[in-house]
Amino acid sequence: MKSDEKAMKRYIRMQMKKWTINIILVFCFAIPLWAQNGEVQFSHKGGVYDDAFPVTLTCNNSNFEIRYTLNGAIPNGNSALYSEPLMLSDSLKSHSDIYKILISPEDDFYLPDSVIKGIVIRAAAFNNQGDRVSPVVTQSYFIKSLDCDLHNFSVVSICADSLALFDYDTGIMVPGAFLDPNDPQWTGNYYQEGRSWERLCNVEYYTTGNEGFNQQAGLRTHGGNGRRNNQKGLKIYAREEYGKKRFKYKIFDDLDITKFKRLVLKPFKSAWTEAGLQNYLSYFIARDLNLDCLASRPAVLFLNGEYWGIYFIQEKPDERYLENHYDIDPDSPDIIGNWFGLVEEGDNLNFNELMAYVESTDFSDENEYQHLSELIDINNFIDYQILEIFASNLDWPANNMRCWQTTGRPWRWIFYDCDACFTFASYNFYEMATDESDNGWPSNATSTLLFRSLLKNETFKQQFIDRLTFLVHNNFAYTETKPYLSSAISQLQDEISHQIERFQYPHNMEEWKERCDQVDEFLRDREEMFWLQTRDFFHLYNDSITKLTCYPNPALSGEPLSISVKSDSENITKLEVYDLTGHTVYSRNVSLKEGANQIQINLVNRQGIFIIKVGYETCKVILL
């Protein structure tokens, strides 16, 4: 019955989508053909340049005149008339100074003395009656010799009509008509959501060699309570009605994906400390785990030609993400946005059924655990829990949970939004992950129910401990995480001064370095602290092994490998060998005497890096 109801809902959504597309097609064909002729051509495409040059505008219909704007506005019949090449200079920079507009509660607003500006030219063709007869063409120029040196950052330039952004009733960037003076931190136009609060804009993306894309798109605000910040989170939507169905460019170096339907522009200021890089850092740790996570890369944003600081372009965790990564029909998945069953896509019938089953079942029964293992991706959930706990996410688990499922696939969890991570290395987040309170945030019994229920099962518990042991000594080891942090700092450091000048976040370079050092200290200390907390949480005290070494190291594949084990007592324990994916390639029980023990094993036809584990001690060995 439930499956029939879900199928009917999806059928209705598909019919509504077809109806919308038909309306759009009728509208498009109703546009006079002359609106598709006479498009304005620019002599130079937008992008980052060392020096200024003249830009020539042309139109292939001599009966039309060209009009243009310099402040991001859509040209109209009263806009400046083009008559000769436009020499890029300071005089062409926008004088609108939109950075002075109050776009947050006054306590959160910072007004700089000035901002860096690029040059934005938006042009279109007009007939003798002053009617626009061509699409609007937008090109943005960032000239180093005109005080617009962006330190080789990628650039996102968004242009939108000022009313769409700043109008009291309809502007998406201002407190506006929806501000409640009694609740200024959580109300305002920028908190409004949905298609009715999407505004037409033009988006340009330029990276090395000024490659990228330039097209019209939909623009919305993005995020939680960070929407009130003057450096706001934004989302851009590619739609056929705007001209192109996808943003077509290989934005992320480590993804082969070249088409994106939606993208998030996550602001530097969304991080909970002035380091600004926590979420970006988390992606590089998460991407090698059994997780769905969001690719990310830094860029600088310009809004109507004015500098808007450091942002991180990233994927959006929605049905289009699943379409890109799993080739799933975007109308098929159920995506759930919190532990209470908030529907992001599809419906919550299966999720509510799952949670009702979890709440009413004793998973110490192995048969019940095996049944649950068919409903959820256990290995994915284990990695999700481990990383959130390791990263000490202060805004989790009651918040920032997203999972998905579709026919024939178990539930999987998406790791995203680590703005509140990497702060307190000594904080015991097992308390957060197993909280049984009725608090609303940051944790409560509902948000920890699944994990607590699974911990009653010995098989799950051992799976969790084994995987955590591997990750702590490998992926989470400081030798592995430190290079990611160093790389992020190196990428951002030259542009931080501009971020400071624009938003006073961080307040100064010294503070930024201090906050980055705190992240570094977290990564350095967390490895040991996390393991000690795990040992205490699971009561892993009965192992008397105190030292483990392997030699020779490196060793030749197929030759005997010697393992030296020091034990404080006589006992029988397990010796296991894992590859770097976490799979067990060798396992056996070994009898240990008190003191030094020598064990030999032979890993035939094995090459690469392996982890030797005896009890709860590990060592890494390379086989050639």
Side-chain angles (χ1 to χ4, degrees):
M1 186 69 179
K2 290 182 178 179
S3 60
D4 291 342
E5 185 178 345
K6 291 176 66 176
M8 178 59 70
K9 287 185 176 181
R10 289 200 170 99
Y11 173 77
I12 293 172
R13 286 202 306 273
M14 290 175 68
Q15 294 305 311
M16 291 180 66
K17 180 182 289 187
K18 290 179 181 178
W19 179 82
T20 302
I21 291 173
N22 288 334
I23 293 296
I24 292 168
L25 290 174
V26 169
F27 174 77
C28 290
F29 283 120
I31 298 174
L33 290 177
W34 47 253
Q36 301 175 39
N37 297 326
E39 181 173 318
V40 175
Q41 303 293 324
F42 282 63
S43 59
H44 297 75
K45 66 174 290 187
V48 180
Y49 295 90
D50 291 331
D51 297 303
F53 48 82
V55 174
T56 302
L57 307 183
T58 57
C59 176
N60 60 9
N61 191 324
S62 59
N63 294 321
F64 298 154
E65 59 188 17
I66 300 173
R67 293 187 179 273
Y68 66 93
T69 64
L70 300 170
N71 64 354
I74 296 173
N76 58 40
N78 296 317
S79 299
L81 179 64
Y82 174 82
S83 59
E84 61 183 11
L86 302 174
M87 181 64 197
L88 300 183
S89 65
D90 288 336
S91 65
L92 296 188
K93 294 178 179 178
S94 172
H95 298 294
S96 294
D97 291 340
I98 59 175
Y99 70 92
K100 296 179 180 179
I101 297 173
L102 186 69
I103 60 171
S104 67
E106 291 189 25
D107 292 345
D108 296 320
F109 188 72
Y110 173 74
L111 180 62
D113 295 331
S114 62
V115 298
I116 298 169
K117 293 183 179 182
I119 297 172
V120 174
I121 303 174
R122 308 195 77 185
F126 290 79
N127 63 21
N128 292 333
Q129 288 74 46
D131 301 317
R132 179 161 64 86
V133 292
S134 79
V136 177
V137 181
T138 306
Q139 300 289 351
S140 300
Y141 304 94
F142 308 97
I143 311 300
K144 294 180 182 179
S145 63
L146 297 179
D147 300 320
C148 194
D149 185 353
L150 306 175
H151 305 108
N152 298 316
F153 260 59
S154 297
V155 181
V156 177
S157 177
I158 294 179
C159 293
D161 190 84
S162 60
L163 292 179
L165 301 177
F166 308 117
D167 180 75
Y168 179 82
D169 292 311
T170 61
I172 64 173
M173 299 281 287
V174 294
F178 285 84
L179 178 70
D180 179 354
N182 296 317
D183 187 18
Q185 300 301 310
W186 285 97
T187 61
N189 288 14
Y190 32 69
Y191 279 107
Q192 304 310 300
E193 298 180 326
R195 187 68 183 272
S196 64
W197 285 89
E198 181 176 310
R199 301 293 179 258
L200 176 66
C201 72
N202 193 87
V203 181
E204 298 163 79
Y205 173 68
Y206 299 113
T207 186
T208 306
N210 291 329
E211 296 180 351
F213 58 82
N214 182 345
Q215 66 192 74
Q216 289 193 136
L219 179 69
R220 302 185 195 180
T221 55
H222 172 76
N225 64 352
R227 290 171 184 253
R228 70 173 184 265
N229 293 336
N230 47 355
Q231 189 182 29
K232 298 187 187 307
L234 299 169
K235 293 175 285 199
I236 53 176
Y237 292 73
R239 299 189 191 279
E240 188 172 14
E241 65 199 83
Y242 299 140
K244 296 180 180 179
K245 295 192 295 184
R246 299 286 191 278
F247 302 109
K248 294 183 179 180
Y249 188 72
K250 190 178 185 301
I251 298 172
F252 307 106
D253 294 337
D254 51 355
L255 290 186
D256 292 330
I257 299 169
T258 58
K259 298 178 182 179
F260 300 89
K261 187 72 174 174
R262 300 156 186 169
L263 292 167
V264 170
L265 302 174
K266 193 173 182 66
F268 182 97
K269 197 172 182 179
S270 66
W272 282 30
T273 79
E274 289 84 347
L277 47 66
Q278 289 93 321
N279 185 68
Y280 182 51
L281 170 65
S282 73
Y283 165 64
F284 295 100
I285 300 174
R287 66 180 179 178
D288 294 327
L289 277 59
N290 182 9
L291 291 171
D292 298 322
C293 57
L294 311 180
S296 178
R297 70 170 299 164
V300 292
L301 175 66
F302 281 77
L303 189 59
N304 285 355
E306 298 186 15
Y307 182 80
W308 228 258
I310 297 173
Y311 277 72
F312 298 91
I313 308 171
Q314 70 176 37
E315 298 173 284
K316 188 175 184 295
D318 59 12
E319 71 275 16
R320 297 296 182 175
Y321 171 90
L322 301 177
E323 179 184 36
N324 272 351
H325 288 264
Y326 290 94
D327 195 26
I328 289 174
D329 181 345
D331 288 321
S332 69
D334 296 325
I335 303 178
I336 304 301
N338 65 26
W339 289 103
F340 292 94
L342 175 67
V343 176
E344 299 287 348
E345 181 65 22
D347 61 53
N348 59 12
L349 298 177
N350 285 347
F351 181 80
N352 290 342
E353 188 177 81
L354 169 71
M355 296 308 293
Y357 169 59
V358 170
E359 188 169 20
S360 62
T361 304
D362 179 5
F363 290 104
S364 62
D365 183 330
E366 190 65 22
N367 289 329
E368 297 289 1
Y369 175 66
Q370 292 305 318
H371 177 60
L372 183 62
S373 299
E374 298 172 0
L375 300 177
I376 73 173
D377 186 327
I378 291 289
N379 292 327
N380 164 262
F381 183 71
I382 286 174
D383 277 16
Y384 172 75
Q385 290 290 130
I386 290 175
L387 182 54
E388 292 282 11
I389 297 170
F390 167 80
S392 301
N393 191 346
L394 296 168
D395 198 14
W396 177 87
N399 196 24
N400 294 322
M401 185 285 265
R402 189 160 297 195
C403 61
W404 67 275
Q405 173 261 344
T406 190
T407 303
R409 291 177 180 268
W411 287 97
R412 283 181 61 88
W413 274 258
I414 301 175
F415 177 84
Y416 76 106
D417 197 342
C418 218
D419 289 327
C421 295
F422 308 127
T423 304
F424 301 111
S426 61
Y427 193 96
N428 190 342
F429 263 76
Y430 282 108
E431 297 177 3
M432 197 87 83
T434 58
D435 180 31
E436 296 185 54
S437 74
D438 58 358
N439 296 328
W441 178 90
S443 185
N444 52 52
T446 300
S447 64
T448 65
L449 174 63
L450 179 56
F451 185 52
R452 288 186 291 108
S453 299
L454 282 166
L455 286 175
K456 296 177 182 178
N457 182 272
E458 291 302 319
T459 300
F460 173 83
K461 191 185 299 184
Q462 194 59 52
Q463 285 178 265
F464 187 90
I465 293 170
D466 288 346
R467 179 60 170 163
L468 185 147
T469 303
F470 175 83
L471 291 176
V472 164
H473 297 304
N474 291 275
N475 301 59
F476 299 163
Y478 183 59
T479 54
E480 300 295 322
T481 58
K482 170 66 172 179
Y484 295 143
L485 175 62
S486 297
S487 176
I489 291 172
S490 177
Q491 291 177 63
L492 299 177
Q493 61 186 1
D494 290 340
E495 190 61 26
I496 290 295
S497 60
H498 289 162
Q499 170 73 22
I500 293 169
E501 292 166 4
R502 179 63 181 85
F503 291 110
Q504 282 287 287
Y505 193 90
H507 287 87
N508 52 57
M509 185 63 75
E510 290 69 29
E511 182 173 31
W512 181 67
K513 291 179 179 178
E514 180 179 336
R515 296 302 184 185
C516 289
D517 286 344
Q518 289 178 355
V519 176
D520 183 74
E521 291 172 7
F522 176 95
L523 297 176
R524 185 192 63 211
D525 298 340
R526 185 60 176 161
E527 178 184 352
E528 179 179 0
M529 290 302 304
F530 187 35
W531 174 244
L532 292 176
Q533 291 164 3
T534 299
R535 186 193 65 183
D536 291 344
F537 182 77
F538 288 102
H539 306 291
L540 306 177
Y541 301 117
N542 60 348
D543 199 328
S544 60
I545 298 169
T546 58
K547 187 175 182 180
L548 175 66
T549 56
C550 305
Y551 59 92
N553 193 5
L556 294 177
S557 176
E559 294 189 358
L561 177 67
S562 296
I563 301 171
S564 176
V565 182
K566 183 177 180 181
S567 177
D568 288 342
S569 64
E570 182 177 330
N571 63 86
I572 298 175
T573 191
K574 183 173 289 188
L575 184 155
E576 296 171 292
V577 182
Y578 301 93
D579 62 20
L580 286 187
T581 68
H583 292 108
T584 303
V585 300
Y586 182 93
S587 177
R588 84 174 207 232
N589 289 328
V590 292
S591 297
L592 301 177
K593 64 182 181 180
E594 183 178 353
N597 296 264
Q598 299 297 322
I599 305 168
Q600 281 196 337
I601 63 174
N602 198 328
L603 299 177
V604 180
N605 298 325
R606 299 284 181 181
Q607 290 182 316
I609 300 174
F610 297 88
I611 306 303
I612 311 294
K613 178 174 178 283
V614 180
Y616 295 108
E617 294 295 319
T618 62
C619 67
K620 185 181 298 185
V621 63
I622 300 174
L623 297 183
L624 304 175

